[in-house]
């Protein structure tokens, strides 16, 4: 498999992981909005200190939305990191950590197989990043500089001429750029 195909597969896996995580994040935040709004209104309307109202909120409800937000950020980062081997190397550790955390956190109530299917894009993203880093394309053999043929419509490059004034220098630079 060449680098181009791996990069394309990484693109699709990054898009899928981003969209799935963003959808789940939006549904979680939508479900959390009304109870959190109730606590906010209790703090503002009843003039209860916000710190005391926050004690009634179970802070563990923020774990899964934070995980999903990190998954969205990783997917967006993967869209740019997929282009280079170094970017893919930096992508391996966060995607492996998020995939492992996904099996620990209770992301869905439907069961373990749904969790595995939901985490599949993240696992494949990690595997493709490893493959992109591991597979190296053979370097092209280059001819020595003196054996390279000149293009048929052009002759040898003109040598830059000595120029005294700035206008002459600009004219020589333009002519040299056109010839090369």
């Amino acid at each position: 498999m060449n680098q181009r195909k791996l990069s394309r597969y990484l693109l699709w896996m990054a898009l899928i992981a981003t969209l799935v995580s963003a959808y789940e994040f939006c549904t979680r935040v939508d479900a959390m909005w009304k109870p959190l709004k109730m606590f906010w209104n209790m703090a503002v309307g009843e003039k209860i200190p916000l710190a005391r109202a926050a004690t009634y909120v179970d802070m563990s409800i923020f774990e899964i939305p934070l995980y999903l937000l990190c998954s969205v950020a990783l997917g967006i980062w993967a869209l740019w990191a997929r282009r280079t081997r170094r970017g893919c190397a930096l992508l391996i550790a966060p995607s492996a950590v998020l995939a492992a955390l996904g099996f620990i956190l209770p992301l869905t109530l439907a069961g373990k197989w749904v969790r595995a299917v939901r985490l599949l894009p993240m696992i494949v993203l990690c595997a493709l990043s490893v493959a992109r880093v591991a597979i190296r394309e053979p370097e092209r053999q280059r001819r020595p500089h003196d054996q390279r043929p000149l293009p048929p419509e052009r002759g040898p490059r003109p040598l830059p001429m000595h120029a005294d004034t700035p206008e002459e220098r600009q004219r020589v630079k333009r002519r040299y750029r056109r010839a090369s």
Side-chain angles (χ1 to χ4, degrees):
M1 188 178 298
N2 62 9
Q3 299 285 342
R4 197 175 191 114
K5 280 188 178 180
L6 278 175
S7 182
R8 190 173 302 134
Y9 292 146
L10 274 167
L11 169 72
W12 285 109
M13 282 302 119
L15 280 173
I16 290 170
T18 302
L19 292 176
V20 167
S21 297
Y23 171 74
E24 285 192 32
F25 176 76
C26 290
T27 57
R28 292 282 177 149
V29 169
D30 187 46
M32 289 173 33
W33 182 252
K34 287 188 181 180
L36 290 177
K37 186 178 175 188
M38 177 190 66
F39 285 109
W40 178 261
N41 288 338
M42 181 174 68
V44 173
E46 301 294 327
K47 295 189 176 39
I48 296 174
L50 189 58
R52 184 170 165 214
T55 59
Y56 297 119
V57 177
D58 183 18
M59 292 299 168
S60 66
I61 65 170
F62 295 111
E63 291 175 355
I64 295 172
L66 182 63
Y67 167 79
L68 293 171
L69 192 62
C70 290
S71 296
V72 169
L74 181 77
I76 292 171
W77 180 33
L79 291 174
W80 284 279
R82 71 181 174 82
R83 297 178 185 169
T84 62
R85 291 179 66 210
R86 183 178 295 141
C88 286
L90 293 173
L91 192 65
I92 293 171
S95 62
V97 167
L98 284 177
L101 276 176
F103 283 108
I104 295 170
L105 291 174
L107 294 178
T108 68
L109 301 174
K112 294 202 183 272
W113 68 273
V114 174
R115 180 185 306 171
V117 169
R118 188 252 170 262
L119 291 172
L120 190 63
M122 192 69 66
I123 295 168
V124 172
L125 185 70
C126 183
L128 286 173
S129 297
V130 169
R132 175 92 158 92
V133 170
I135 296 174
R136 181 178 272 214
E137 287 189 356
E139 293 184 22
R140 298 181 206 153
Q141 291 184 355
R142 297 182 180 180
R143 292 189 232 171
H145 183 67
D146 57 336
Q147 292 181 0
R148 290 184 186 168
L150 292 175
E153 67 273 356
R154 295 186 191 165
R157 293 182 179 173
L159 295 174
M161 297 174 10
H162 180 68
D164 294 329
T165 64
E167 294 83 23
E168 288 178 7
R169 285 189 204 123
Q170 289 296 324
R171 189 172 39 94
V172 169
K173 282 182 186 178
R174 279 189 227 116
R175 187 182 330 152
Y176 186 72
R177 275 192 222 130
R178 276 188 240 133
S180 59

PDB file of all heavy atoms in Angstrom, residues 21-37 61-70 72:
ATOM      1  N   SER A  21     -18.046  11.394  16.848  1.00  0.00           N
ATOM      2  CA  SER A  21     -17.801  12.000  18.161  1.00  0.00           C
ATOM      3  C   SER A  21     -18.556  13.316  18.320  1.00  0.00           C
ATOM      4  O   SER A  21     -19.076  13.610  19.397  1.00  0.00           O
ATOM      5  CB  SER A  21     -16.310  12.231  18.366  1.00  0.00           C
ATOM      6  OG  SER A  21     -15.626  11.005  18.369  1.00  0.00           O
ATOM      7  N   ALA A  22     -18.601  14.105  17.258  1.00  0.00           N
ATOM      8  CA  ALA A  22     -19.324  15.378  17.329  1.00  0.00           C
ATOM      9  C   ALA A  22     -20.823  15.144  17.519  1.00  0.00           C
ATOM     10  O   ALA A  22     -21.479  15.856  18.296  1.00  0.00           O
ATOM     11  CB  ALA A  22     -19.075  16.201  16.068  1.00  0.00           C
ATOM     12  N   TYR A  23     -21.371  14.153  16.839  1.00  0.00           N
ATOM     13  CA  TYR A  23     -22.790  13.831  17.005  1.00  0.00           C
ATOM     14  C   TYR A  23     -23.079  13.405  18.444  1.00  0.00           C
ATOM     15  O   TYR A  23     -24.031  13.881  19.064  1.00  0.00           O
ATOM     16  CB  TYR A  23     -23.206  12.738  16.022  1.00  0.00           C
ATOM     17  CG  TYR A  23     -24.592  12.216  16.286  1.00  0.00           C
ATOM     18  CD1 TYR A  23     -25.708  12.976  15.959  1.00  0.00           C
ATOM     19  CD2 TYR A  23     -24.788  10.979  16.898  1.00  0.00           C
ATOM     20  CE1 TYR A  23     -26.984  12.515  16.216  1.00  0.00           C
ATOM     21  CE2 TYR A  23     -26.054  10.509  17.160  1.00  0.00           C
ATOM     22  CZ  TYR A  23     -27.148  11.274  16.820  1.00  0.00           C
ATOM     23  OH  TYR A  23     -28.407  10.821  17.082  1.00  0.00           O
ATOM     24  N   GLU A  24     -22.258  12.496  18.966  1.00  0.00           N
ATOM     25  CA  GLU A  24     -22.476  12.039  20.339  1.00  0.00           C
ATOM     26  C   GLU A  24     -22.281  13.173  21.342  1.00  0.00           C
ATOM     27  O   GLU A  24     -22.999  13.254  22.339  1.00  0.00           O
ATOM     28  CB  GLU A  24     -21.548  10.875  20.663  1.00  0.00           C
ATOM     29  CG  GLU A  24     -21.981   9.589  20.023  1.00  0.00           C
ATOM     30  CD  GLU A  24     -21.232   8.401  20.575  1.00  0.00           C
ATOM     31  OE1 GLU A  24     -20.858   8.409  21.757  1.00  0.00           O
ATOM     32  OE2 GLU A  24     -21.024   7.453  19.799  1.00  0.00           O
ATOM     33  N   PHE A  25     -21.309  14.042  21.085  1.00  0.00           N
ATOM     34  CA  PHE A  25     -21.089  15.179  21.979  1.00  0.00           C
ATOM     35  C   PHE A  25     -22.319  16.087  22.003  1.00  0.00           C
ATOM     36  O   PHE A  25     -22.769  16.513  23.062  1.00  0.00           O
ATOM     37  CB  PHE A  25     -19.848  15.960  21.551  1.00  0.00           C
ATOM     38  CG  PHE A  25     -19.612  17.199  22.359  1.00  0.00           C
ATOM     39  CD1 PHE A  25     -19.106  17.127  23.644  1.00  0.00           C
ATOM     40  CD2 PHE A  25     -19.902  18.446  21.833  1.00  0.00           C
ATOM     41  CE1 PHE A  25     -18.902  18.271  24.395  1.00  0.00           C
ATOM     42  CE2 PHE A  25     -19.694  19.597  22.568  1.00  0.00           C
ATOM     43  CZ  PHE A  25     -19.193  19.505  23.859  1.00  0.00           C
ATOM     44  N   CYS A  26     -22.862  16.377  20.831  1.00  0.00           N
ATOM     45  CA  CYS A  26     -24.050  17.244  20.757  1.00  0.00           C
ATOM     46  C   CYS A  26     -25.241  16.614  21.466  1.00  0.00           C
ATOM     47  O   CYS A  26     -25.989  17.309  22.169  1.00  0.00           O
ATOM     48  CB  CYS A  26     -24.400  17.542  19.309  1.00  0.00           C
ATOM     49  SG  CYS A  26     -23.220  18.627  18.507  1.00  0.00           S
ATOM     50  N   THR A  27     -25.451  15.312  21.313  1.00  0.00           N
ATOM     51  CA  THR A  27     -26.575  14.671  21.987  1.00  0.00           C
ATOM     52  C   THR A  27     -26.372  14.643  23.500  1.00  0.00           C
ATOM     53  O   THR A  27     -27.331  14.817  24.256  1.00  0.00           O
ATOM     54  CB  THR A  27     -26.801  13.245  21.465  1.00  0.00           C
ATOM     55  OG1 THR A  27     -25.610  12.485  21.618  1.00  0.00           O
ATOM     56  CG2 THR A  27     -27.231  13.264  20.015  1.00  0.00           C
ATOM     57  N   ARG A  28     -25.127  14.443  23.948  1.00  0.00           N
ATOM     58  CA  ARG A  28     -24.868  14.452  25.394  1.00  0.00           C
ATOM     59  C   ARG A  28     -25.086  15.836  25.989  1.00  0.00           C
ATOM     60  O   ARG A  28     -25.689  15.971  27.046  1.00  0.00           O
ATOM     61  CB  ARG A  28     -23.433  14.010  25.695  1.00  0.00           C
ATOM     62  CG  ARG A  28     -23.140  12.584  25.400  1.00  0.00           C
ATOM     63  CD  ARG A  28     -23.673  11.706  26.484  1.00  0.00           C
ATOM     64  NE  ARG A  28     -23.428  10.321  26.126  1.00  0.00           N
ATOM     65  CZ  ARG A  28     -23.211   9.373  26.982  1.00  0.00           C
ATOM     66  NH1 ARG A  28     -23.207   9.632  28.262  1.00  0.00           N
ATOM     67  NH2 ARG A  28     -23.008   8.144  26.571  1.00  0.00           N
ATOM     68  N   VAL A  29     -24.583  16.838  25.316  1.00  0.00           N
ATOM     69  CA  VAL A  29     -24.743  18.205  25.831  1.00  0.00           C
ATOM     70  C   VAL A  29     -26.214  18.605  25.805  1.00  0.00           C
ATOM     71  O   VAL A  29     -26.701  19.267  26.734  1.00  0.00           O
ATOM     72  CB  VAL A  29     -23.863  19.187  25.032  1.00  0.00           C
ATOM     73  CG1 VAL A  29     -24.205  20.631  25.361  1.00  0.00           C
ATOM     74  CG2 VAL A  29     -22.396  18.915  25.321  1.00  0.00           C
ATOM     75  N   ASP A  30     -26.929  18.174  24.785  1.00  0.00           N
ATOM     76  CA  ASP A  30     -28.357  18.474  24.713  1.00  0.00           C
ATOM     77  C   ASP A  30     -29.115  17.812  25.864  1.00  0.00           C
ATOM     78  O   ASP A  30     -30.023  18.408  26.437  1.00  0.00           O
ATOM     79  CB  ASP A  30     -28.917  18.008  23.366  1.00  0.00           C
ATOM     80  CG  ASP A  30     -30.349  18.448  23.163  1.00  0.00           C
ATOM     81  OD1 ASP A  30     -30.643  19.632  23.440  1.00  0.00           O
ATOM     82  OD2 ASP A  30     -31.170  17.610  22.746  1.00  0.00           O
ATOM     83  N   ALA A  31     -28.723  16.593  26.211  1.00  0.00           N
ATOM     84  CA  ALA A  31     -29.387  15.904  27.321  1.00  0.00           C
ATOM     85  C   ALA A  31     -29.003  16.518  28.666  1.00  0.00           C
ATOM     86  O   ALA A  31     -29.798  16.494  29.604  1.00  0.00           O
ATOM     87  CB  ALA A  31     -29.025  14.429  27.300  1.00  0.00           C
ATOM     88  N   MET A  32     -27.813  17.060  28.784  1.00  0.00           N
ATOM     89  CA  MET A  32     -27.345  17.636  30.039  1.00  0.00           C
ATOM     90  C   MET A  32     -27.821  19.072  30.242  1.00  0.00           C
ATOM     91  O   MET A  32     -27.772  19.587  31.354  1.00  0.00           O
ATOM     92  CB  MET A  32     -25.808  17.650  30.083  1.00  0.00           C
ATOM     93  CG  MET A  32     -25.173  16.317  30.245  1.00  0.00           C
ATOM     94  SD  MET A  32     -23.385  16.347  30.086  1.00  0.00           S
ATOM     95  CE  MET A  32     -22.900  17.899  30.734  1.00  0.00           C
ATOM     96  N   TRP A  33     -28.238  19.723  29.183  1.00  0.00           N
ATOM     97  CA  TRP A  33     -28.504  21.151  29.238  1.00  0.00           C
ATOM     98  C   TRP A  33     -29.590  21.523  30.251  1.00  0.00           C
ATOM     99  O   TRP A  33     -29.412  22.420  31.062  1.00  0.00           O
ATOM    100  CB  TRP A  33     -28.880  21.643  27.843  1.00  0.00           C
ATOM    101  CG  TRP A  33     -29.129  23.100  27.791  1.00  0.00           C
ATOM    102  CD1 TRP A  33     -30.325  23.724  27.651  1.00  0.00           C
ATOM    103  CD2 TRP A  33     -28.161  24.134  27.907  1.00  0.00           C
ATOM    104  NE1 TRP A  33     -30.168  25.071  27.655  1.00  0.00           N
ATOM    105  CE2 TRP A  33     -28.826  25.349  27.819  1.00  0.00           C
ATOM    106  CE3 TRP A  33     -26.786  24.146  28.081  1.00  0.00           C
ATOM    107  CZ2 TRP A  33     -28.185  26.557  27.894  1.00  0.00           C
ATOM    108  CZ3 TRP A  33     -26.141  25.352  28.154  1.00  0.00           C
ATOM    109  CH2 TRP A  33     -26.829  26.536  28.061  1.00  0.00           C
ATOM    110  N   LYS A  34     -30.711  20.832  30.236  1.00  0.00           N
ATOM    111  CA  LYS A  34     -31.827  21.207  31.112  1.00  0.00           C
ATOM    112  C   LYS A  34     -31.496  21.012  32.595  1.00  0.00           C
ATOM    113  O   LYS A  34     -31.785  21.905  33.397  1.00  0.00           O
ATOM    114  CB  LYS A  34     -33.082  20.455  30.704  1.00  0.00           C
ATOM    115  CG  LYS A  34     -33.655  20.987  29.409  1.00  0.00           C
ATOM    116  CD  LYS A  34     -34.980  20.385  29.086  1.00  0.00           C
ATOM    117  CE  LYS A  34     -35.432  20.984  27.758  1.00  0.00           C
ATOM    118  NZ  LYS A  34     -36.704  20.481  27.341  1.00  0.00           N
ATOM    119  N   PRO A  35     -30.913  19.893  33.010  1.00  0.00           N
ATOM    120  CA  PRO A  35     -30.560  19.789  34.436  1.00  0.00           C
ATOM    121  C   PRO A  35     -29.527  20.827  34.869  1.00  0.00           C
ATOM    122  O   PRO A  35     -29.635  21.397  35.963  1.00  0.00           O
ATOM    123  CB  PRO A  35     -29.993  18.373  34.576  1.00  0.00           C
ATOM    124  CG  PRO A  35     -30.542  17.627  33.434  1.00  0.00           C
ATOM    125  CD  PRO A  35     -30.719  18.608  32.340  1.00  0.00           C
ATOM    126  N   LEU A  36     -28.550  21.101  34.019  1.00  0.00           N
ATOM    127  CA  LEU A  36     -27.543  22.102  34.385  1.00  0.00           C
ATOM    128  C   LEU A  36     -28.149  23.504  34.417  1.00  0.00           C
ATOM    129  O   LEU A  36     -27.766  24.330  35.247  1.00  0.00           O
ATOM    130  CB  LEU A  36     -26.365  22.049  33.421  1.00  0.00           C
ATOM    131  CG  LEU A  36     -25.495  20.801  33.532  1.00  0.00           C
ATOM    132  CD1 LEU A  36     -24.411  20.830  32.477  1.00  0.00           C
ATOM    133  CD2 LEU A  36     -24.895  20.668  34.917  1.00  0.00           C
ATOM    134  N   LYS A  37     -29.103  23.758  33.536  1.00  0.00           N
ATOM    135  CA  LYS A  37     -29.784  25.043  33.536  1.00  0.00           C
ATOM    136  C   LYS A  37     -30.600  25.217  34.819  1.00  0.00           C
ATOM    137  O   LYS A  37     -30.688  26.308  35.375  1.00  0.00           O
ATOM    138  CB  LYS A  37     -30.683  25.149  32.312  1.00  0.00           C
ATOM    139  CG  LYS A  37     -31.330  26.498  32.138  1.00  0.00           C
ATOM    140  CD  LYS A  37     -32.162  26.526  30.872  1.00  0.00           C
ATOM    141  CE  LYS A  37     -32.895  27.839  30.780  1.00  0.00           C
ATOM    142  NZ  LYS A  37     -33.849  27.839  29.682  1.00  0.00           N
ATOM    143  N   ILE A  61     -20.604  13.578  35.365  1.00  0.00           N
ATOM    144  CA  ILE A  61     -21.354  13.675  34.110  1.00  0.00           C
ATOM    145  C   ILE A  61     -20.555  14.416  33.033  1.00  0.00           C
ATOM    146  O   ILE A  61     -20.907  14.358  31.863  1.00  0.00           O
ATOM    147  CB  ILE A  61     -22.728  14.353  34.307  1.00  0.00           C
ATOM    148  CG1 ILE A  61     -22.559  15.806  34.743  1.00  0.00           C
ATOM    149  CG2 ILE A  61     -23.592  13.589  35.258  1.00  0.00           C
ATOM    150  CD1 ILE A  61     -23.848  16.597  34.735  1.00  0.00           C
ATOM    151  N   PHE A  62     -19.498  15.101  33.430  1.00  0.00           N
ATOM    152  CA  PHE A  62     -18.686  15.836  32.458  1.00  0.00           C
ATOM    153  C   PHE A  62     -17.578  14.986  31.855  1.00  0.00           C
ATOM    154  O   PHE A  62     -16.900  15.437  30.932  1.00  0.00           O
ATOM    155  CB  PHE A  62     -18.075  17.082  33.104  1.00  0.00           C
ATOM    156  CG  PHE A  62     -19.102  18.091  33.513  1.00  0.00           C
ATOM    157  CD1 PHE A  62     -19.348  18.331  34.854  1.00  0.00           C
ATOM    158  CD2 PHE A  62     -19.830  18.784  32.569  1.00  0.00           C
ATOM    159  CE1 PHE A  62     -20.299  19.255  35.244  1.00  0.00           C
ATOM    160  CE2 PHE A  62     -20.777  19.703  32.949  1.00  0.00           C
ATOM    161  CZ  PHE A  62     -21.012  19.939  34.289  1.00  0.00           C
ATOM    162  N   GLU A  63     -17.348  13.767  32.356  1.00  0.00           N
ATOM    163  CA  GLU A  63     -16.266  12.922  31.851  1.00  0.00           C
ATOM    164  C   GLU A  63     -16.488  12.530  30.392  1.00  0.00           C
ATOM    165  O   GLU A  63     -15.590  12.660  29.565  1.00  0.00           O
ATOM    166  CB  GLU A  63     -16.121  11.668  32.703  1.00  0.00           C
ATOM    167  CG  GLU A  63     -15.601  11.913  34.088  1.00  0.00           C
ATOM    168  CD  GLU A  63     -15.595  10.656  34.936  1.00  0.00           C
ATOM    169  OE1 GLU A  63     -16.094   9.611  34.465  1.00  0.00           O
ATOM    170  OE2 GLU A  63     -15.081  10.727  36.054  1.00  0.00           O
ATOM    171  N   ILE A  64     -17.662  12.036  30.098  1.00  0.00           N
ATOM    172  CA  ILE A  64     -17.936  11.548  28.736  1.00  0.00           C
ATOM    173  C   ILE A  64     -17.983  12.697  27.726  1.00  0.00           C
ATOM    174  O   ILE A  64     -17.375  12.584  26.646  1.00  0.00           O
ATOM    175  CB  ILE A  64     -19.214  10.693  28.718  1.00  0.00           C
ATOM    176  CG1 ILE A  64     -18.966   9.437  29.553  1.00  0.00           C
ATOM    177  CG2 ILE A  64     -19.601  10.331  27.296  1.00  0.00           C
ATOM    178  CD1 ILE A  64     -20.163   8.586  29.783  1.00  0.00           C
ATOM    179  N   PRO A  65     -18.655  13.827  28.021  1.00  0.00           N
ATOM    180  CA  PRO A  65     -18.573  14.936  27.054  1.00  0.00           C
ATOM    181  C   PRO A  65     -17.145  15.454  26.852  1.00  0.00           C
ATOM    182  O   PRO A  65     -16.771  15.815  25.740  1.00  0.00           O
ATOM    183  CB  PRO A  65     -19.464  16.009  27.656  1.00  0.00           C
ATOM    184  CG  PRO A  65     -20.440  15.271  28.473  1.00  0.00           C
ATOM    185  CD  PRO A  65     -19.674  14.111  29.035  1.00  0.00           C
ATOM    186  N   LEU A  66     -16.338  15.446  27.912  1.00  0.00           N
ATOM    187  CA  LEU A  66     -14.940  15.858  27.760  1.00  0.00           C
ATOM    188  C   LEU A  66     -14.180  14.869  26.877  1.00  0.00           C
ATOM    189  O   LEU A  66     -13.396  15.271  26.013  1.00  0.00           O
ATOM    190  CB  LEU A  66     -14.269  15.974  29.128  1.00  0.00           C
ATOM    191  CG  LEU A  66     -12.823  16.435  29.120  1.00  0.00           C
ATOM    192  CD1 LEU A  66     -12.728  17.847  28.555  1.00  0.00           C
ATOM    193  CD2 LEU A  66     -12.233  16.364  30.518  1.00  0.00           C
ATOM    194  N   TYR A  67     -14.433  13.575  27.071  1.00  0.00           N
ATOM    195  CA  TYR A  67     -13.820  12.553  26.214  1.00  0.00           C
ATOM    196  C   TYR A  67     -14.252  12.749  24.758  1.00  0.00           C
ATOM    197  O   TYR A  67     -13.425  12.681  23.845  1.00  0.00           O
ATOM    198  CB  TYR A  67     -14.213  11.157  26.699  1.00  0.00           C
ATOM    199  CG  TYR A  67     -13.882  10.076  25.710  1.00  0.00           C
ATOM    200  CD1 TYR A  67     -12.588   9.595  25.594  1.00  0.00           C
ATOM    201  CD2 TYR A  67     -14.848   9.560  24.856  1.00  0.00           C
ATOM    202  CE1 TYR A  67     -12.275   8.614  24.667  1.00  0.00           C
ATOM    203  CE2 TYR A  67     -14.550   8.589  23.934  1.00  0.00           C
ATOM    204  CZ  TYR A  67     -13.260   8.116  23.840  1.00  0.00           C
ATOM    205  OH  TYR A  67     -12.946   7.167  22.916  1.00  0.00           O
ATOM    206  N   LEU A  68     -15.533  12.994  24.540  1.00  0.00           N
ATOM    207  CA  LEU A  68     -16.024  13.170  23.172  1.00  0.00           C
ATOM    208  C   LEU A  68     -15.472  14.445  22.542  1.00  0.00           C
ATOM    209  O   LEU A  68     -15.158  14.466  21.345  1.00  0.00           O
ATOM    210  CB  LEU A  68     -17.551  13.192  23.169  1.00  0.00           C
ATOM    211  CG  LEU A  68     -18.220  11.863  23.539  1.00  0.00           C
ATOM    212  CD1 LEU A  68     -19.704  12.059  23.718  1.00  0.00           C
ATOM    213  CD2 LEU A  68     -17.919  10.802  22.501  1.00  0.00           C
ATOM    214  N   LEU A  69     -15.315  15.489  23.338  1.00  0.00           N
ATOM    215  CA  LEU A  69     -14.714  16.723  22.828  1.00  0.00           C
ATOM    216  C   LEU A  69     -13.256  16.494  22.443  1.00  0.00           C
ATOM    217  O   LEU A  69     -12.795  16.989  21.407  1.00  0.00           O
ATOM    218  CB  LEU A  69     -14.843  17.823  23.877  1.00  0.00           C
ATOM    219  CG  LEU A  69     -14.543  19.235  23.428  1.00  0.00           C
ATOM    220  CD1 LEU A  69     -15.521  19.654  22.334  1.00  0.00           C
ATOM    221  CD2 LEU A  69     -14.635  20.190  24.599  1.00  0.00           C
ATOM    222  N   CYS A  70     -12.532  15.721  23.239  1.00  0.00           N
ATOM    223  CA  CYS A  70     -11.146  15.370  22.890  1.00  0.00           C
ATOM    224  C   CYS A  70     -11.100  14.517  21.627  1.00  0.00           C
ATOM    225  O   CYS A  70     -10.187  14.654  20.803  1.00  0.00           O
ATOM    226  CB  CYS A  70     -10.464  14.635  24.049  1.00  0.00           C
ATOM    227  SG  CYS A  70     -10.124  15.674  25.465  1.00  0.00           S
ATOM    228  N   VAL A  72     -13.258  14.672  19.142  1.00  0.00           N
ATOM    229  CA  VAL A  72     -13.512  15.595  18.024  1.00  0.00           C
ATOM    230  C   VAL A  72     -12.229  16.362  17.693  1.00  0.00           C
ATOM    231  O   VAL A  72     -11.864  16.505  16.522  1.00  0.00           O
ATOM    232  CB  VAL A  72     -14.669  16.562  18.360  1.00  0.00           C
ATOM    233  CG1 VAL A  72     -14.768  17.678  17.344  1.00  0.00           C
ATOM    234  CG2 VAL A  72     -15.978  15.813  18.435  1.00  0.00           C
TER     235      VAL A  72
END
